[in-house]
Amino acid sequence: MGGGQGQGREPGLGPGLGRRFGWLWAAYGTSALGTWLAFGALPLIAIQVLDAGPARVAALSSVGAAVGAVVAVPLGPWVEFRRKRPVLIGLDLARCAALLTIPVAYALGVLTFVQLLLVSIVVAAADIGFRAASGAYLKTLLPAGDLLVANARFESTAWTTTIVGPPLGGAAIGLLGPVATVVADAVSYLLSALGIRAIGNGDGGEDGSGGKNGSGEARPVRRADDARMRAGDLLDGWRYILADPTLRPLFLHTAVFNGLVMATEPLLAVLMLGRLGFTPWQYGLAFAVPAIGGLVGARLARPLAARFGQHRVLVGSGALRALWPLGLAFLGPGTGGLLLVMGVELGLIFCCAVFNPLSATCRLERTPADRVARTLTAWSVTTKATIALLTAVWGVLGTLLGPRTALGLAGLLVLATPLLLPRRAAALPVEPDTEPSAEPDTEPGAEPGAEPGAEPGAAHDPAPSRT
């Protein structure tokens, strides 16, 4: 099932990429905005409503993400052999339903910390499953030559919502409380599901016997002797990544870089808001303004790749982004310190915004269509687990050595991460030919004629970050 088979160009929400991509793009933007509106809402509810202490608040973020990643491991093989649009809709609705339990429980006076933890686990697992399914779906929706354009648009949208969402969410929390932003986040997932459903019968498609439905997505193929998922299937994504000469080093670089950069964020908050005496609005400004670099970087990713070559720009931006984090170790008080953070973050975010869509496109181009969901699941699970592990390690180092020393140590290690980048571009693997599956056209719960069953960049990352 190669990228973009049978896809026509239709006018609509995505200029040049067709109406169906336009709906997918709009769905992504809607839910990403909802996520940033509610950024930090669950910890704030835990503090304000449940009087949770620092240990519980930390557990809500770290344990929820880590357990969610473990729960998501079986989703890759499960998603792989199902049509992706109903899977995407189902995961959106699952996140909507999980989040809506919070305002309901709050209104009834029965909200507990355990419920918040369970919701964070469900949302984290669904996020990973959605990213895997949306990446696989994007590959069927567009030709390979358009993947970089699409991923750059997702990246640009991610940074736009990063700039707009937190200030609006902060204002909403101030007026209505954090529970209101959770409702807004839940509604955004509902709107995203409706947008993906609107992709629907865009091309008239073929009937069930023709191998494609109205959204142009071919039925996933599964061998007759492979009808039941085995324990070994859970590792298929990792096996494929580690066997590919380009994906393997890119995978290791991404996991280590993301883990080290994200592990320093709590330490930077402690240093800025504690010892250096920055106010919360200054801290927020230090990260909001540099997000403009994300917009510029995402816009330049495709022109740079066209001029200098996709692999060269991927490696170059990956190396350049490693130069910035060490600067945070020299952070001082006052206006100079604030400008230093903003400068470091601007350079880091700009390089990441160039790198992310190129990396996402490389993953999709190098992964056969019948392995995309498993590969992206393995990638997301590893990245999230690495971030959780290194965040815990750097929390200990920050306590023992002090936040500034721990920041410097992380910056030095980040300088070595370009050594993990792929040295040369290997030939793209040949896509296997697919044949219509013997499986029935629909599954229980799927609508008739519909499919039974993305840094920022690959697809729908509900919480885009500078990494």
Side-chain angles (χ1 to χ4, degrees):
M1 182 167 60
Q5 293 176 343
Q7 301 306 307
R9 298 284 180 165
E10 306 171 48
L13 296 173
L17 295 184
R19 184 188 66 84
R20 291 186 293 279
F21 172 77
W23 280 113
L24 184 64
W25 187 18
Y28 169 74
T30 301
S31 63
L33 179 59
T35 296
W36 282 106
L37 284 173
F39 182 69
L42 293 190
L44 196 56
I45 291 172
I47 294 169
Q48 292 186 349
V49 178
L50 303 177
D51 296 322
R56 282 193 163 192
V57 173
L60 187 60
S61 300
S62 58
V63 175
V67 176
V70 173
V71 171
V73 170
L75 285 178
W78 182 83
V79 168
E80 195 76 79
F81 301 105
R82 284 161 176 79
R83 290 194 175 107
K84 307 306 181 290
R85 190 170 68 98
V87 170
L88 295 172
I89 294 172
L91 291 172
D92 265 340
L93 294 178
R95 289 182 287 187
C96 175
L99 289 169
L100 285 178
T101 65
I102 293 175
V104 171
Y106 175 76
L108 297 176
V110 294
L111 183 65
T112 65
F113 179 79
V114 172
Q115 181 181 349
L116 292 181
L117 190 60
L118 290 175
V119 169
S120 70
I121 291 171
V122 170
V123 171
D127 287 346
I128 294 175
F130 192 100
R131 173 176 291 196
S134 59
Y137 189 49
L138 182 66
K139 185 159 182 169
T140 70
L141 208 60
L142 298 175
D146 286 339
L147 291 176
L148 179 54
V149 180
N151 284 319
R153 290 184 182 180
F154 286 133
E155 185 75 9
S156 179
T157 302
W159 290 112
T160 300
T161 58
T162 303
I163 295 170
V164 173
L168 293 179
I173 288 174
L175 292 173
L176 305 172
V179 176
T181 62
V182 173
V183 174
D185 194 14
V187 171
S188 77
Y189 286 123
L190 177 61
L191 294 175
S192 174
L194 293 174
I196 294 171
R197 189 178 189 278
I199 295 172
N201 299 323
D203 59 1
E206 301 177 22
D207 60 24
S209 62
K212 288 190 177 184
N213 65 6
S215 68
E217 184 184 2
R219 288 195 302 270
V221 177
R222 189 161 195 167
R223 299 190 308 271
D225 61 348
D226 203 22
R228 301 180 67 180
M229 187 168 67
R230 301 184 295 263
D233 293 340
L234 301 179
L235 302 178
D236 279 350
W238 284 277
R239 290 193 191 100
Y240 184 79
I241 291 170
L242 296 177
D244 186 276
T246 298
L247 292 183
R248 180 176 62 252
L250 184 61
F251 171 70
L252 296 174
H253 165 83
T254 302
V256 175
F257 179 89
N258 288 7
L260 287 171
V261 171
M262 298 303 293
T264 62
E265 288 198 347
L267 300 178
L268 187 58
V270 169
L271 185 61
M272 290 185 68
L273 298 173
R275 300 186 181 185
L276 298 180
F278 287 98
T279 62
W281 74 264
Q282 290 175 317
Y283 178 77
L285 185 68
F287 295 97
V289 173
I292 296 172
L295 294 176
V296 178
R299 298 275 297 185
L300 290 178
R302 182 170 175 261
L304 289 172
R307 180 169 182 177
F308 299 106
Q310 187 169 318
H311 181 77
R312 184 177 297 177
V313 177
L314 173 71
V315 174
S317 59
L320 288 175
R321 69 180 188 162
L323 301 177
W324 298 96
L326 183 60
L328 296 175
F330 302 97
L331 175 62
T335 303
L338 184 62
L339 292 176
L340 174 65
V341 175
M342 293 172 68
V344 168
E345 291 296 321
L346 179 65
L348 176 59
I349 289 172
F350 172 80
C351 294
C352 287
V354 174
F355 178 88
N356 288 343
L358 292 167
S359 174
T361 301
C362 179
R363 290 199 302 265
L364 291 180
E365 288 179 342
R366 299 200 62 82
T367 307
D370 62 347
R371 290 179 179 269
V372 172
R374 285 170 286 180
T375 300
L376 294 184
T377 298
W379 200 288
S380 295
V381 167
T382 302
T383 301
K384 288 183 179 294
T386 304
I387 290 172
L389 174 63
L390 292 182
T391 298
V393 171
W394 252 256
V396 175
L397 291 176
T399 301
L400 297 176
L401 306 176
R404 189 184 299 276
T405 303
L407 284 169
L409 178 59
L412 289 173
L413 292 175
V414 168
L415 287 175
T417 58
L419 298 175
L420 297 173
L421 287 164
R423 299 296 178 87
R424 55 181 61 87
L428 292 176
V430 178
E431 289 274 0
D433 292 331
T434 59
E435 300 175 2
S437 169
E439 294 181 356
D441 293 343
T442 58
E443 294 187 358
E447 57 187 292
E451 309 95 326
E455 211 90 73
H460 188 341
D461 187 356
S465 73
R466 56 188 177 167
T467 59

